[in-house]
Amino acid sequence: MSKKQTKEITESTIILPEDIKKEYTILNLGPTHPATHGIFQNILKMDGEKIVEAESTVGYIHRAFEKLAERKAYYQITPYTDRLNYCSAPLNNLGWHMAVEKLIGAEIPKRVQYMRVIIMELARIIDHIICNSVIGVDTGALTGFVYMFQQREFVYDIFEEICGARLTTNIGRIGGFERDFSPKVWKKIEQFLKEFPKVLAEFESLFVRNRIFMDRTIGCGAISAEKALSYGFTGPNLRATGIDYDVRVMNPYSSYEDFDFIIPVGTQGDTYDRFMVREEEMKQSLSIIRQALDKMPEGPFHADLPEFYLPEKQDVYSKMEALIYQFKIVMGENDVPVGEIYHAIEAANGELGFYIISDGGRTPYRLHFRRPCFIYYQAYTEMIKGAMLSDAILTMSSLNVIAGELDA
Amino acid sequence: MLISQSVQEKLINEINEHFQDALVKHEVLYDMFTITLKREAVAPLIRHLYNHEEFKFKFLTNLCGLHYPNQKNQELGLMYQLHSFENNYRIRIKTFFPINDPVIATVTDIFNAANWMERQEYDFFGIEFKGHPNLKRILNVDDMTIFPMRKEYPAEDQARKDKNDIMFGR
């Protein structure tokens, strides 16, 4: 038997951590990954479970809305706006109507503005429901999601009662609404205002002071206020960093100046703050709806805009003028004034802007959507650098990136 | 959204003082004060307004390309929209340049947000941003050879007959 050789330990034989040759793994997250809720591709360079570098590719559901819109009459563009942020389609629809009304210089009755505020706030609530309950799902808590989605379904019922559609609503018309809210709608809104706070309180008791949830979200995907501004953040994501920018207050539209509400802000700009800002915004939205219901003025449900608002069907059969207008509107042959406008609304994800250049024809000469998702999603690769893979998923869901709005 | 008359005048004086002959025209379009500039002055002016003590235009709201085929030597254009949160001023800056020389200085070194916005305008209008860190197509496929938002590419004619699509009909 040979003698066992013992090696002497010298300084050169000790392996230090920096001597180990690092091997990175390339992980292709997406484009159709169940955890990313949409079509996003991120190519991640991983060191174990840590992300070293990331690169995102977008454009998988690009549908060229801006080009298509150059062939369509203004009222025909509304269904395209449905498909921007499809989680809160009414916000986009009404924002578009308001942009066109600004271009043609229409005066909108107070009642229509208040009705719009109700719909927009309902849409904001259901968008925040999606975002916040999905944060819960991504941290491993499915329960809250199910209960909150029941309420979301209820708001869909309200939309269905108003316009006949649920997800891609095409709600309202240029100049107002196609019909007044039915008594059933008012009843359902009241019922929602009564029931939703209870569900929301239950949801909060599941999450807000939950140790696991807090450990998981505090400090995850944080961004500083300066960085967020530079990256063009708007909406709840910007407010979570501590900047109280809200289009509803800065440049009020649709009579938002009549309502009393608070802009919630965070401090750290992390996932927990974004969650909390959205929670508080839902409560503020409820309060705005309550105020709008209490102050609801009497009056017509549409503006006096014969060139853009379809006449009563009865008149079309009996009056020549109404028939002419009906024909011209449906064919989209009404010219709009020459002009250039930018109209911004506070959508659920931030400042949704419509930039229209009109050369006086039936279609916009150039239309550009300022999509909040597209602008702030570019910060994502920087936000997840150095984080764990599971935190990257959580960061994405807390940013509430919607693929339809990203790619337009 | 419109800024007051006195602020407008102050802005114009500021531009005339620091950037001689750069101002082409200024106007009020609906509720937005719009300045048209020569392209060399755009990026320096945006940086100047960003660092300015009073105006503080620290937010780039929007950036979009424009194409007017009938404007001789001024076919392509860009629109920038700046916002000062502190004062709640919004302004629009426009610039035009020839289509065979679509080059303009980038503003990505001022605003991180401009990165994808500029890539989008490169993608759709073929405007090249000098100094951009990663100028490649973003929404369209990489091997596309045209710039589809230019006016010479009309959206598909609904009544075209040259396509024989049995599955979806036409």
Side-chain angles (χ1 to χ4, degrees):
Chain A
M1 272 176 86
S2 64
K3 204 176 166 191
K4 208 175 184 182
Q5 279 193 345
T6 50
K7 209 174 173 186
E8 203 181 329
I9 295 173
T10 58
E11 212 168 289
S12 60
T13 51
I14 298 173
I15 301 169
L16 294 166
E18 53 260 36
D19 294 336
I20 301 170
K21 209 179 141 219
K22 269 205 172 149
E23 255 187 56
Y24 295 115
T25 327
I26 302 293
L27 182 74
N28 184 15
L29 184 72
T32 49
H33 192 281
T36 55
H37 324 287
I39 312 167
F40 313 101
Q41 188 186 29
N42 282 289
I43 297 162
L44 310 173
K45 189 174 165 189
M46 312 277 295
D47 173 17
E49 215 184 324
K50 264 211 175 96
I51 295 161
V52 182
E53 251 179 88
E55 202 195 333
S56 47
T57 320
V58 300
Y60 282 96
I61 57 163
H62 173 56
R63 293 142 298 174
F65 286 164
E66 291 173 9
K67 190 77 188 175
L68 286 168
E70 287 175 11
R71 279 190 76 87
K72 300 274 183 214
Y74 285 84
Y75 82 96
Q76 291 170 333
I77 298 169
T78 322
Y80 288 132
T81 61
D82 280 333
R83 276 99 183 145
L84 286 174
N85 183 349
Y86 39 75
C87 291
S88 54
L91 271 164
N92 310 334
N93 297 152
L94 297 177
W96 168 250
H97 294 325
M98 282 184 262
V100 178
E101 283 156 11
K102 196 181 200 177
L103 183 65
I104 59 183
E107 202 153 304
I108 304 302
K110 234 10 185 196
R111 185 179 173 84
V112 175
Q113 297 187 1
Y114 277 47
M115 282 155 82
R116 279 181 177 170
V117 165
I118 292 175
I119 292 176
M120 285 193 286
E121 292 309 318
L122 284 173
R124 193 183 319 281
I125 289 172
I126 61 168
D127 196 279
H128 288 352
I129 285 179
I130 283 231
C131 181
N132 274 2
S133 54
V134 162
I135 292 176
V137 172
D138 287 344
T139 51
L142 198 70
T143 322
F145 176 80
V146 181
Y147 285 94
M148 291 289 264
F149 248 66
Q150 228 168 11
Q151 294 301 310
R152 201 182 135 84
E153 283 293 311
F154 190 78
V155 178
Y156 275 171
D157 288 347
I158 299 175
F159 291 157
E160 194 179 0
E161 200 59 45
I162 294 169
C163 70
R166 293 164 72 86
L167 186 70
T168 47
T169 48
N170 193 8
I171 211 166
R173 296 280 180 271
I174 296 167
F177 289 92
E178 61 270 40
R179 63 182 84 83
D180 209 344
F181 288 0
S182 65
K184 212 169 165 189
V185 174
W186 297 114
K187 223 177 84 193
K188 280 201 163 166
I189 295 171
E190 288 287 354
Q191 196 187 337
F192 179 73
L193 286 185
K194 219 168 80 194
E195 280 173 11
F196 182 62
K198 284 184 223 155
V199 180
L200 192 61
E202 256 182 333
F203 180 75
E204 282 190 355
S205 68
L206 272 174
F207 285 98
V208 174
R209 298 302 291 171
N210 183 327
R211 168 75 13 225
I212 303 166
F213 183 73
M214 286 168 81
D215 282 350
R216 199 69 176 68
T217 50
I218 292 175
C220 161
I223 190 163
S224 70
E226 290 81 31
K227 271 267 166 63
L229 263 189
S230 177
Y231 270 115
F233 274 51
T234 41
N237 298 333
L238 179 69
R239 289 193 281 274
T241 67
I243 297 169
D244 59 344
Y245 173 62
D246 191 318
V247 188
R248 290 176 290 176
V249 178
M250 279 279 223
N251 302 103
Y253 52 90
S254 196
S255 289
Y256 265 109
E257 64 274 17
D258 295 1
F259 303 105
D260 192 20
F261 59 99
I262 296 164
I263 312 176
V265 289
T267 48
Q268 307 295 317
D270 56 10
T271 301
Y272 188 71
D273 276 11
R274 285 193 280 271
F275 177 85
M276 291 307 283
V277 165
R278 286 200 169 89
E279 284 294 314
E280 186 54 39
E281 268 186 27
M282 282 196 256
K283 289 179 200 159
Q284 295 301 325
S285 294
L286 286 173
S287 131
I288 294 171
I289 297 171
R290 183 75 266 162
Q291 291 172 47
L293 286 176
D294 291 344
K295 288 197 278 191
M296 181 59 71
E298 290 298 318
F301 55 89
H302 63 86
D304 184 24
L305 266 181
E307 291 198 316
F308 291 92
Y309 186 85
L310 280 174
E312 285 277 331
K313 203 74 188 166
Q314 208 52 49
D315 293 347
V316 177
Y317 292 133
S318 56
K319 290 183 187 141
M320 189 171 78
E321 223 165 79
L323 178 65
I324 292 168
Y325 278 132
Q326 156 98 15
F327 181 76
K328 283 183 91 173
I329 292 167
V330 172
M331 300 308 286
E333 292 303 334
N334 278 316
D335 289 351
V336 298
V338 181
E340 201 175 316
I341 63 129
Y342 176 76
H343 183 71
I345 65 155
E346 180 73 24
N349 283 335
E351 180 176 336
L352 176 71
F354 300 92
Y355 175 61
I356 310 171
I357 300 178
S358 160
D359 61 348
R362 62 189 286 267
T363 65
Y365 184 79
R366 169 93 169 98
L367 170 64
H368 182 77
F369 300 111
R370 185 210 189 267
R371 290 115 53 205
C373 279
F374 177 75
I375 292 165
Y376 67 64
Y377 182 55
Q378 52 188 313
Y380 179 64
T381 47
E382 198 181 309
M383 287 165 82
I384 61 171
K385 219 172 262 181
M388 306 284 254
L389 178 62
S390 50
D391 285 353
I393 300 288
L394 199 52
T395 308
M396 184 184 272
S397 57
S398 74
L399 282 176
N400 199 16
V401 192
I402 309 287
E405 195 172 69
L406 187 70
D407 293 343
Chain B
M1 290 182 186
L2 187 58
I3 55 176
S4 68
Q5 196 79 37
S6 58
V7 180
Q8 291 176 19
E9 278 164 19
K10 229 186 270 176
L11 249 171
I12 294 162
N13 290 338
E14 191 75 28
I15 296 166
N16 283 334
E17 196 182 312
H18 290 89
F19 304 91
Q20 277 89 16
D21 309 326
L23 189 68
V24 178
K25 69 172 173 186
H26 57 88
E27 59 200 322
V28 173
L29 293 168
Y30 279 74
D31 56 354
M32 189 80 78
F33 184 57
T34 308
I35 314 166
T36 310
L37 291 172
K38 289 184 179 155
R39 75 171 140 177
E40 298 79 23
V42 171
L45 176 77
I46 290 175
R47 183 175 290 107
H48 183 78
L49 293 178
Y50 181 87
N51 293 322
H52 197 278
E53 278 175 9
E54 196 197 325
F55 295 127
K56 292 179 185 152
F57 283 104
K58 300 238 184 240
F59 193 78
L60 179 68
T61 307
N62 209 349
L63 193 163
C64 93
L66 312 165
H67 186 206
Y68 292 91
N70 297 330
Q71 288 179 20
K72 204 95 196 96
N73 278 332
Q74 306 268 293
E75 290 95 347
L76 281 183
L78 268 176
M79 185 282 294
Y80 297 81
Q81 205 168 292
L82 302 178
H83 194 174
S84 159
F85 284 171
E86 257 172 68
N87 308 308
N88 198 11
Y89 297 160
R90 283 176 193 260
I91 57 161
R92 187 182 290 149
I93 296 170
K94 277 175 153 188
T95 183
F96 292 96
F97 38 83
I99 197 162
N100 13 359
D101 176 31
V103 185
I104 191 165
T106 178
V107 292
T108 44
D109 47 348
I110 313 167
F111 303 105
N112 284 328
N115 190 328
W116 282 15
M117 293 181 182
E118 287 182 354
R119 272 177 71 184
Q120 185 178 235
E121 299 324 317
Y122 165 73
D123 193 354
F124 287 108
F125 287 92
I127 298 166
E128 283 167 36
F129 294 89
K130 217 175 5 182
H132 191 286
N134 184 24
L135 195 65
K136 57 179 188 189
R137 288 188 182 269
I138 183 162
L139 292 180
N140 289 316
V141 284
D142 287 338
D143 49 3
M144 196 175 215
T145 51
I146 60 161
F147 300 112
M149 279 299 278
R150 289 189 179 175
K151 292 284 174 190
E152 63 254 41
Y153 305 108
E156 191 177 313
D157 184 2
Q158 306 279 304
R160 66 185 281 188
K161 299 231 166 62
D162 57 320
K163 257 189 171 178
N164 182 17
D165 196 331
I166 300 161
M167 290 301 282
F168 298 103
R170 217 165 252 283

